Structures are given as C-alpha cells and as structure tokens.
Amino acid sequence: MALSSATRRYQRRVILLAILYAALLFSAVYLLNRHMVGGAAAYLIGVLPALPVIGFFVAIGLYMTEERDEYLRMLLVRQSLIATGLSMTGATLWGFLEGSDLLPHLVGYAWPILWFGGLGVGACVNRFVEGRTE
C-alpha cells in the first residue's frame, strides 16, 4: 500500500524529532548529572529534551489535519483516543494511589510515554476492529 504524502511528511517529522530528542536528552543528562551548568541555564537545558516530545504531539496533530483520506484519519483519531484514555486513566489511578501513599511518586514524563504506548494499543485495536493487516 502506497503511503500518502501526509503520512510521508509525518514520518519525516517524527524521525527528525526523534534524532533531536536523543541528542538533547543525552546532552542534558551529561551536563546536568555532572553539574556542569547551574542557575537559569540548568533549567533551560533541563527543558530542552521536552521540546521534541511536544513536537511529537504537534506532528500527530498536523498529520490529522493534513491527511485527506477520511478512513486513515479516522484510524488515527481512534488510535489517539485509545492512547488518551489509557494514559489519563493511568494518571488518575496512579495519582489517587500516590496521594494516599500507596504508590511511589512517578515522574510526570512517564505519562506521555504511556500515551505513546497507547498509540500502539490503538493500532492493535484498529487492526482487530477493521479485520485487516498491513
């Protein structure tokens, strides 16, 4: 099956963002763990790896608006709704249990990771519901 031009643009964006994320994350961890920067610069460097992650969400939103095939767009919307439901349910349950001192603190960046995993679950649901493999 040939990829749409919107899909190709989305894939290019995600690949570039992933490379940028890895470079920024490794650099930030290296600099901050060795206390090579401090003050405002440390905060700036600490935030830099989050920017490509935010970019992933933007890339998905752009893909949703650029994809002209309504069926493919519906599949991505379903996938995203499943990912959102799973991650928000997880965050809610964990938050209440953490607030009651029944679970340890979980860093905030864990929830986007769960969301991205939820995209995979959503893709599996799409394949099951639509009864097709690609």
Side-chain angles (χ1 to χ4, degrees), residues 17-29:
L17 286 166
I19 292 167
L20 182 60
Y21 171 71
L24 292 173
L25 179 64
F26 289 125
S27 299
V29 168

Side-chain angles (χ1 to χ4, degrees), residues 44-68:
L44 175 64
I45 290 169
V47 165
L48 287 177
L51 299 179
V53 175
I54 295 166
F56 290 133
F57 296 116
V58 171
I60 290 170
L62 286 172
Y63 175 53
M64 278 186 195
T65 61
E66 293 173 353
E67 182 57 69
R68 296 293 170 234

Side-chain angles (χ1 to χ4, degrees), residues 10 14 60 64 68 70 74 76 82 104 115 121-122 126 134:
Y10 167 73
V14 168
I60 290 170
M64 278 186 195
R68 296 293 170 234
E70 293 177 13
M74 180 276 300
L76 179 62
I82 290 168
W115 191 85
V121 173
N126 278 340
E134 295 182 276

Side-chain angles (χ1 to χ4, degrees), residues 69-130:
D69 185 312
E70 293 177 13
Y71 176 72
L72 293 177
R73 194 169 46 238
M74 180 276 300
L75 292 176
L76 179 62
V77 168
R78 181 191 293 154
Q79 203 174 342
S80 299
L81 288 171
I82 290 168
T84 301
L86 288 174
S87 59
M88 291 297 97
T89 298
T92 301
L93 293 172
W94 193 280
F96 276 101
L97 292 171
E98 180 182 328
S100 300
D101 292 325
L102 297 171
L103 288 175
H105 175 68
L106 187 62
V107 293
Y109 59 79
W111 302 116
I113 293 169
L114 181 62
W115 191 85
F116 292 126
L119 285 178
V121 173
C124 293
V125 169
N126 278 340
R127 285 186 180 212
F128 177 76
V129 169
E130 299 303 316

